[in-house]
Amino acid sequence: MLQPGLMMDRPLLISAIIEHAAAQYAHVDVVSRETHGPLFRYTWSECAVRSRRFANALAGLGLGPGSAVGSIAWNNHRHLEAYFAVSGSGMVMHTCNPRLQPQQLIYIINHAEDQVVLFDATFAPLVKGIAAHCPQVKHWVCLADAENTPAIEGVANVVAYEDLIAPHGDAFEWPEFDERTGAALCYTSGTTGNPKGVLYSHRSMVLNALSGAVPGVMGLSPSETVLPVVPMFHINAWCIPYGAPMVGARLVLPGPKLDGASLHALFESEKVTVGAGVPTIWLGLAQYVEQNGLRFSTLKRLLTGGTAMPLALIAKFADDFGVEVGHGWGMTETTAVATFGALTPADREKPAAEQHAVIARQGKSLHGVDIKIVDEAGATLPRDGVAQGELMVRGHWIVDRYYKATESALRDGWFPTGDIATIDPDGRMQIRDRTKDVIKSGGEWISSIDLENTAIAHPAVAMAAVIGVRHPKWDERPLLFIVRKPGQALEKDEILAYLRERVASWWVPDDVVFLESLPVGGTGKVQKTHLRETYGGLFT
Amino acid sequence: MLQPGLMMDRPLLISAIIEHAAAQYAHVDVVSRETHGPLFRYTWSECAVRSRRFANALAGLGLGPGSAVGSIAWNNHRHLEAYFAVSGSGMVMHTCNPRLQPQQLIYIINHAEDQVVLFDATFAPLVKGIAAHCPQVKHWVCLADAENTPAIEGVANVVAYEDLIAPHGDAFEWPEFDERTGAALCYTSGTTGNPKGVLYSHRSMVLNALSGAVPGVMGLSPSETVLPVVPMFHINAWCIPYGAPMVGARLVLPGPKLDGASLHALFESEKVTVGAGVPTIWLGLAQYVEQNGLRFSTLKRLLTGGTAMPLALIAKFADDFGVEVGHGWGMTETTAVATFGALTPADREKPAAEQHAVIARQGKSLHGVDIKIVDEAGATLPRDGVAQGELMVRGHWIVDRYYKATESALRDGWFPTGDIATIDPDGRMQIRDRTKDVIKSGGEWISSIDLENTAIAHPAVAMAAVIGVRHPKWDERPLLFIVRKPGQALEKDEILAYLRERVASWWVPDDVVFLESLPVGGTGKVQKTHLRETYGGLFT
């Protein structure tokens, strides 16, 4: 018979993170860009004090365990305090992506039953448009002082965060409860149907944050200053707001200023060593740095994910700027990072181009997450770097069931990601496509992502997208969409010839459509659904 | 009302660690010094295969969930396989310290109800002496092949590990069970009374191993090769055997060869980057390296703990060898590391001597452990670096109750460590003494450790110990014991004059006793109980 262990039984709680930082990293600082411009600066100890005051304020508003608090906000120190105050109180921190359509925002705020919504002044127009449709929201709290809180026409219950916490005390007894309690809620930005909510538990977030802090992933420690550009309003800023205080890293929050010039200035002035964000952000940063003949004085590593980081951009940072890129993968349903690719000592002895190719893969699963790829019948495919199948994940921080759903989101105990991937013999995973985007042509699969990445490497191409369109003989054939760079006169024959030299002949798209723009959704990804609606019938 | 989170609920189990390494770090190697001399070399994938075969073998012997398996063994690959096979099967891995007295070994093997005991050939004489007194041990398994397994007179049931696993298959379905299940058992080496057992849970060990892998502690990753000299037979080799496969580090196990020459050769040949062990080991290594005019080619960091690392030794490694020392604290009751001290960027700008003084402290508690110091009435003392009190700890990997004990080991929910410590305003803890060793003189406390460290810095001193002896006026006064280095003629007046220049005048010992040796116990610490028995009444 199993013997029970005889160790202390204490829950893994988010409140313990900020109190640990207050006790052990009291003087380590947190820097935050206010929405109205200036930098704000304090310590983990002061962050803890203000988190407790906000927890008192929430209790004062009549909210209790299980209540939901929404946020439509940038990465800043008040949003950070809310992360600890709301979850730490046993409430649910519901981060809303301001890039969602207003009707989707209304849907998720009502579905989550948010009683309070925190917002940054930037989003006052958004609040104005949705407030009347969210009747259960008792208070709209602007993450600012009174001076920087705008009046919103038609919205009476707006209060400044600083006014709200001012009367409250610095002490707060964080409640102890089951670590499986819901801590935060984030909705997917599904292109079809309503967004679906993922209710993260304290346990899942603490385990993810800790697992992400190890050197082979984010490598957070008191020696690092980390700047998450990845938004706190979506997928928990990859849990960096939890991981940094856990291990005593300095944290720099960029607020609304995410352009290359602002980020470069902040990286330099705050001596940032690690940045985290999606490839689009790093593209803007690279262009700014390049155009202005700048370099980085302290930046050592950029962490990226969300969409695949183009090889050329990995090479630009590594070879020209001396900044190593670490490439991860995760989705709303996986709390934050689930796999991560970093160079091993053996990789570092390879030529630069091979190193970049290693980084371009999304890497190995973190301890705590299992991965496999399966065919359409659910059979596990080999880890040979060739076989492509749907990526399946399971682990401590993977969704089991969507919020308010009655059925499990799992298939045989694994979460089907909807991504098509390969896994190398050494365990490195690479996303090749989305299941709904992969092109099935003559019984074989063509990766739309690989085609797009190849096309975008052409110097005249600004954006590229590929969809499969029905074809009488081949089932599906690829159709390429191109947005030209300004002033470029690229034509169909030239881009097809360019592709013909670089991909298998039967991958070469059957046609090319030149557009002025591509439809981009709430999380910055091209919405191929719209392209399919308009162009999907072309070859039938 | 609290909302339950909706994430997958999977237990934190030790079997998942080795399977993670097999899947994601299949080709990363493990190097092990066989007890009979040669180096053995395989991969994490092969380690997993052999762990499963040993799990099958244990089941074949009739052991089941909850059964205890003892080990009296060095750090080697078979011991490592046992760590995974035994705990992974839901059994209890009971590591025995071979330095315990035979009667204590007999006591703990019987108390733990070990059904199988694994041993290295080195300890065959020990097994010979105790086997008859441990009737419930069905099999004594020598961690070797048949050729290197000695016959032991009077012990019939000896089997070679390789013979035991040879007939068994590579596949094993690890059972899933509650993460709070007991995984491993280690006994304290109490100087009074019988040893007390600490039954670690899967949860406590997984959380400790993960928390110890972060850069501010051990910094384990695929880029590192870690060599634990700290024994697998006591305090779980600081959980490095779990942490390394979790994050894909190379692991080098030194077997029985722990002298300076052997370790230096192994560090060099296997390109070790991180070593872990007690100060005595590093002292031997430093002397060997110094005397032979050697240096380290790849070693970057030494982790140390167990007893305080002398300043001079920290300086030797840092200044002369370019190897940074990280200083931790833990005890049997804390699974492995509970606090750890590493340099921050601000520390690195200080003069070398100040950096060494920072490292000499035992550092900050890891996330997951809370620390405080209390006075004799249990009141919390300030974190001012001056107030000394008993160190109290609580957290995910701290003991709650000793094995088979009916009462909690805690005081008000905290474990009283028996150590006297200070905590700095920045959260760094420093052990000043043991509660039973601290000298209470005229209402003030004198740290026996501080006096010993000061005395040992004298060039003629090989070993030093200080005890308090009763005194009619001052309650207690310090008595110093000195073991001279060979050929040195140090006398009482000289060492007292030396101390007088370096410590407060009222700390200077009242007398000095020169001995040929000091009594050292099972974990390498001076047994002051014996000194007190003989000399404790001196000043009364």
Side-chain angles (χ1 to χ4, degrees):
Chain A
M1 206 176 66
L2 294 166
Q3 298 198 42
L6 298 171
M7 308 306 283
M8 283 191 194
D9 191 5
R10 297 175 56 76
L12 297 162
L13 296 181
I14 287 171
S15 55
I17 297 175
I18 187 63
E19 292 302 333
H20 177 70
Q24 297 294 234
Y25 303 103
H27 308 307
V28 174
D29 58 6
V30 176
V31 181
S32 167
R33 170 77 65 194
E34 297 256 23
T35 304
H36 64 282
L39 281 181
F40 175 87
R41 196 178 292 276
Y42 66 174
T43 63
W44 282 118
S45 161
E46 292 163 317
C47 177
V49 165
R50 284 173 51 96
S51 299
R52 289 186 223 116
R53 288 172 66 188
F54 187 44
N56 280 319
L58 287 169
L61 292 178
L63 276 68
S67 298
V69 175
S71 68
I72 313 174
W74 300 114
N75 292 9
N76 59 47
H77 67 286
R78 295 187 187 92
H79 204 178
L80 181 70
E81 293 157 15
Y83 263 42
F84 296 111
V86 175
S87 302
S89 297
M91 302 178 193
V92 173
M93 180 74 209
H94 169 212
T95 54
C96 302
N97 187 340
R99 296 190 191 120
L100 290 178
Q101 297 298 319
Q103 65 273 26
Q104 288 184 314
L105 270 175
I106 292 165
Y107 171 82
I108 66 173
I109 288 171
N110 289 333
H111 190 261
E113 302 175 42
D114 294 336
Q115 296 186 40
V116 167
V117 174
L118 318 173
F119 69 98
D120 272 318
T122 314
F123 305 114
L126 201 53
V127 171
K128 182 181 173 187
I130 65 177
H133 305 282
C134 304
Q136 87 291 349
V137 176
K138 296 178 204 155
H139 306 277
W140 296 86
V141 178
C142 185
L143 296 178
D145 54 17
E147 191 184 339
N148 291 290
T149 294
I152 304 180
E153 198 191 319
V155 187
N157 45 349
V158 170
V159 59
Y161 180 90
E162 294 301 328
D163 288 352
L164 188 64
I165 68 168
H168 292 281
D170 292 353
F172 183 80
E173 190 78 17
W174 298 108
E176 285 215 355
F177 42 76
D178 190 310
E179 67 192 32
R180 289 173 174 81
T181 299
L185 180 61
C186 181
Y187 284 76
T188 62
S189 45
T191 45
T192 54
N194 278 319
K196 289 177 284 188
V198 181
L199 184 56
Y200 310 110
S201 67
H202 285 256
R203 174 182 168 95
S204 68
M205 301 182 90
V206 170
L207 289 176
N208 176 276
L210 186 56
S211 303
V214 301
V217 188
M218 298 194 194
L220 301 182
S221 80
S223 298
E224 308 295 346
T225 296
V226 59
L227 188 151
V229 185
V230 51
M232 291 173 68
F233 60 66
H234 191 67
I235 194 171
N236 313 304
W238 299 347
C239 284
I240 294 169
Y242 309 111
M246 237 174 210
V247 298
R250 274 182 88 228
L251 181 65
V252 179
L253 300 171
K257 298 282 196 69
L258 307 181
D259 60 289
S262 300
L263 286 178
H264 183 266
L266 195 56
F267 277 27
E268 290 298 301
S269 68
E270 294 304 327
K271 299 186 167 57
V272 172
T273 60
V274 182
V278 296
T280 317
I281 291 289
W282 304 141
L283 182 63
L285 179 63
Q287 286 171 347
Y288 174 80
V289 167
E290 186 87 279
Q291 284 159 9
N292 294 276
L294 302 170
R295 285 301 178 263
F296 297 98
S297 318
T298 57
L299 187 65
K300 293 181 294 187
R301 278 177 295 131
L302 284 185
L303 313 172
T304 195
T307 55
M309 179 93 159
L311 262 179
L313 193 53
I314 292 170
K316 167 70 66 188
F317 275 100
D319 302 342
D320 297 355
F321 303 154
V323 175
E324 191 167 303
V325 173
H327 199 187
W329 172 87
M331 53 200 305
T332 308
E333 289 86 345
T334 69
T335 306
V337 184
T339 76
F340 196 82
L343 295 175
T344 62
D347 293 330
R348 287 180 202 284
E349 287 170 18
K350 295 176 184 166
E354 284 184 40
Q355 294 190 27
H356 305 334
V358 167
I359 293 172
R361 287 173 250 167
Q362 279 82 0
K364 305 190 176 197
S365 71
L366 276 59
H367 174 261
V369 172
D370 300 331
I371 57 173
K372 66 176 180 180
I373 49 174
V374 299
D375 65 17
E376 284 167 296
T380 301
L381 294 167
R383 293 181 165 219
D384 59 8
V386 177
Q388 298 193 12
E390 182 169 8
L391 178 66
M392 310 287 285
V393 296
R394 69 174 182 191
H396 304 296
W397 51 86
I398 311 294
V399 70
D400 180 74
R401 186 155 55 87
Y402 290 105
Y403 191 49
K404 295 186 179 176
T406 49
E407 289 183 3
S408 167
L410 309 186
R411 201 191 296 156
D412 300 330
W414 294 71
F415 177 73
T417 64
D419 278 328
I420 299 291
T422 52
I423 304 180
D424 289 354
D426 71 352
R428 281 183 208 263
M429 186 272 288
Q430 182 164 19
I431 301 289
R432 311 309 293 250
D433 220 329
R434 294 286 298 162
T435 48
K436 63 181 195 299
D437 294 338
V438 73
I439 298 153
K440 288 156 196 161
S441 182
E444 301 281 347
W445 283 359
I446 297 172
S447 163
S448 66
I449 292 180
D450 283 359
L451 276 178
E452 289 159 8
N453 284 343
T454 310
I456 209 158
H458 188 288
V461 173
M463 297 173 80
V466 174
I467 64 167
V469 294
R470 289 190 299 284
H471 188 282
K473 180 174 177 191
W474 302 110
D475 192 21
E476 283 189 331
R477 288 298 301 155
L479 172 63
L480 172 64
F481 298 87
I482 294 286
V483 178
R484 298 183 188 94
K485 282 187 182 164
Q488 296 288 337
L490 181 71
E491 292 302 332
K492 173 177 165 179
D493 289 350
E494 185 184 343
I495 185 68
L496 289 182
Y498 180 85
L499 290 174
R500 205 165 284 123
E501 288 173 17
R502 289 167 175 81
V503 301
S505 61
W506 59 279
W507 279 39
V508 177
D510 283 23
D511 204 355
V512 184
V513 177
F514 290 91
L515 297 174
E516 293 299 309
S517 65
L518 289 174
V520 172
T523 53
K525 293 173 189 168
V526 172
Q527 295 195 311
K528 295 192 185 177
T529 317
H530 293 329
L531 295 175
R532 271 191 284 266
E533 280 166 11
T534 313
Y535 297 95
L538 193 71
F539 302 130
T540 55
Chain B
M1 206 174 64
L2 293 166
Q3 299 198 40
L6 297 171
M7 308 306 283
M8 284 192 193
D9 191 4
R10 297 175 58 74
L12 297 162
L13 295 181
I14 286 170
S15 55
I17 297 175
I18 187 63
E19 292 303 333
H20 177 70
Q24 297 293 238
Y25 303 104
H27 309 306
V28 174
D29 57 6
V30 176
V31 180
S32 167
R33 172 76 66 194
E34 298 255 22
T35 303
H36 63 282
L39 281 181
F40 174 87
R41 197 178 292 276
Y42 65 174
T43 63
W44 281 119
S45 161
E46 292 163 316
C47 176
V49 165
R50 284 172 52 93
S51 298
R52 288 186 224 116
R53 288 174 66 188
F54 187 44
N56 280 319
L58 288 168
L61 292 177
L63 275 68
S67 296
V69 175
S71 68
I72 312 174
W74 300 114
N75 293 8
N76 58 45
H77 66 287
R78 296 187 186 91
H79 204 180
L80 181 69
E81 293 158 16
Y83 264 42
F84 297 111
V86 175
S87 302
S89 297
M91 301 176 193
V92 173
M93 180 75 210
H94 170 212
T95 54
C96 302
N97 188 340
R99 296 190 192 122
L100 291 179
Q101 297 298 318
Q103 65 272 26
Q104 288 184 313
L105 270 174
I106 292 165
Y107 171 82
I108 66 173
I109 288 171
N110 290 331
H111 190 261
E113 301 175 43
D114 294 336
Q115 296 186 40
V116 167
V117 174
L118 318 173
F119 68 98
D120 273 317
T122 315
F123 305 114
L126 201 53
V127 171
K128 183 181 172 186
I130 66 178
H133 305 282
C134 304
Q136 86 291 347
V137 176
K138 296 178 205 155
H139 307 277
W140 296 87
V141 179
C142 184
L143 296 178
D145 54 17
E147 191 183 339
N148 291 289
T149 294
I152 304 180
E153 197 190 322
V155 186
N157 47 349
V158 170
V159 60
Y161 180 90
E162 294 300 328
D163 288 351
L164 187 64
I165 68 167
H168 291 282
D170 291 353
F172 183 79
E173 190 79 14
W174 298 109
E176 285 215 355
F177 42 75
D178 189 311
E179 67 192 32
R180 289 174 174 81
T181 299
L185 179 62
C186 182
Y187 285 76
T188 62
S189 44
T191 44
T192 54
N194 279 319
K196 289 177 282 187
V198 181
L199 183 56
Y200 310 109
S201 66
H202 286 256
R203 174 182 167 95
S204 68
M205 300 182 91
V206 170
L207 289 177
N208 177 275
L210 186 56
S211 302
V214 301
V217 187
M218 298 194 195
L220 301 182
S221 80
S223 298
E224 308 295 346
T225 296
V226 59
L227 189 152
V229 184
V230 51
M232 291 173 67
F233 61 64
H234 191 67
I235 195 172
N236 314 303
W238 299 347
C239 283
I240 293 169
Y242 309 110
M246 237 175 209
V247 298
R250 275 182 89 228
L251 181 66
V252 179
L253 299 171
K257 298 283 197 66
L258 307 181
D259 60 288
S262 300
L263 285 178
H264 183 265
L266 195 56
F267 277 25
E268 290 298 303
S269 68
E270 294 303 326
K271 299 186 166 58
V272 172
T273 60
V274 182
V278 296
T280 317
I281 291 289
W282 303 142
L283 182 63
L285 180 62
Q287 286 170 347
Y288 173 80
V289 167
E290 186 87 281
Q291 283 159 9
N292 294 277
L294 302 169
R295 286 298 179 265
F296 298 98
S297 316
T298 57
L299 186 65
K300 292 181 297 188
R301 278 176 295 132
L302 283 186
L303 312 172
T304 195
T307 55
M309 179 93 158
L311 262 179
L313 194 53
I314 293 170
K316 168 69 66 187
F317 275 101
D319 301 342
D320 296 356
F321 303 154
V323 174
E324 192 166 303
V325 174
H327 199 188
W329 173 88
M331 53 201 304
T332 307
E333 289 88 344
T334 69
T335 307
V337 184
T339 75
F340 197 82
L343 296 174
T344 62
D347 292 330
R348 287 180 202 285
E349 289 169 18
K350 295 174 183 168
E354 286 184 38
Q355 294 189 28
H356 306 333
V358 167
I359 293 172
R361 287 173 250 167
Q362 280 81 0
K364 304 188 176 197
S365 72
L366 276 58
H367 173 262
V369 172
D370 300 329
I371 56 172
K372 66 176 181 179
I373 49 173
V374 299
D375 65 17
E376 284 167 297
T380 302
L381 293 167
R383 292 182 166 218
D384 59 9
V386 177
Q388 298 193 12
E390 182 170 10
L391 178 65
M392 309 287 284
V393 295
R394 69 173 182 192
H396 304 297
W397 51 86
I398 311 296
V399 71
D400 180 73
R401 186 155 53 87
Y402 290 105
Y403 191 48
K404 296 186 178 176
T406 49
E407 289 184 2
S408 166
L410 310 187
R411 200 192 296 156
D412 299 331
W414 294 70
F415 177 72
T417 64
D419 278 327
I420 300 291
T422 53
I423 304 179
D424 289 354
D426 71 352
R428 282 184 207 263
M429 185 271 289
Q430 183 163 20
I431 301 289
R432 311 309 292 248
D433 219 329
R434 295 284 299 162
T435 48
K436 64 182 193 300
D437 294 339
V438 72
I439 298 153
K440 289 156 196 160
S441 182
E444 301 281 347
W445 283 359
I446 297 172
S447 163
S448 66
I449 291 179
D450 284 358
L451 275 178
E452 288 159 7
N453 284 344
T454 310
I456 208 157
H458 188 286
V461 173
M463 298 174 78
V466 174
I467 64 167
V469 294
R470 288 189 299 283
H471 189 282
K473 179 172 177 191
W474 301 111
D475 192 20
E476 284 189 329
R477 288 297 301 154
L479 171 64
L480 172 64
F481 299 86
I482 293 287
V483 178
R484 298 184 188 92
K485 283 187 182 166
Q488 297 287 335
L490 181 71
E491 293 301 335
K492 173 178 166 178
D493 289 350
E494 186 184 343
I495 185 67
L496 289 181
Y498 179 85
L499 289 174
R500 204 166 284 121
E501 288 173 17
R502 289 166 175 81
V503 302
S505 61
W506 59 279
W507 279 39
V508 176
D510 282 24
D511 204 354
V512 183
V513 178
F514 291 90
L515 298 174
E516 292 300 308
S517 65
L518 290 174
V520 172
T523 53
K525 293 173 189 168
V526 172
Q527 295 195 310
K528 295 192 185 179
T529 318
H530 292 329
L531 295 176
R532 272 191 283 265
E533 281 166 9
T534 313
Y535 298 95
L538 193 71
F539 303 131
T540 53

